């Protein structure tokens, strides 16, 4: 049996409200959602893929997202 088709994408969300002071959970979730939506908009071929995994880390330039999509 063949494995599921995978696509991994890495992006940086540059503006994250409250970063460095206090981060509200709803702001974090909104930023994660917006990052995924931006990638889907930039790469329309992902329409047949679903979000499988999402990793994030905070950097001085913003929040780095590593997103995995699978069919």
């Amino acid at each position: 049996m063949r494995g599921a088709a995978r696509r991994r994408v890495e992006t940086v969300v540059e503006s994250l409200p409250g970063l460095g002071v206090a981060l509200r959970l709803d702001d974090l979730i909104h930023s994660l959602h917006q990052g995924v939506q931006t990638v889907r908009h930039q790469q329309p071929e992902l329409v047949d893929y679903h979000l499988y995994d999402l990793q994030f880390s905070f950097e001085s330039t913003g929040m780095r997202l590593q997103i995995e999509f699978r069919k």
Side-chain angles (χ1 to χ4, degrees), residues 1-3 5 8 15 20-21 25-26 28 34 37 43-44 51 53-55 59 63 71:
M1 181 179 217
R2 228 178 70 179
R8 290 184 187 211
S15 61
V21 181
L25 185 56
D26 59 338
L28 174 61
Q34 222 170 354
Q37 290 302 102
Q43 299 183 32
L51 178 63
D53 192 22
L54 177 67
Q55 296 179 16
E59 301 179 350
M63 180 173 57
K71 273 194 175 181

Side-chain angles (χ1 to χ4, degrees), residues 7-9 36 50-56 65-70:
R7 293 283 306 268
R8 290 184 187 211
V9 179
V36 171
H50 66 274
L51 178 63
Y52 179 78
D53 192 22
L54 177 67
Q55 296 179 16
F56 61 93
L65 299 179
Q66 295 176 325
I67 307 168
E68 183 175 338
F69 296 94
R70 289 191 182 179

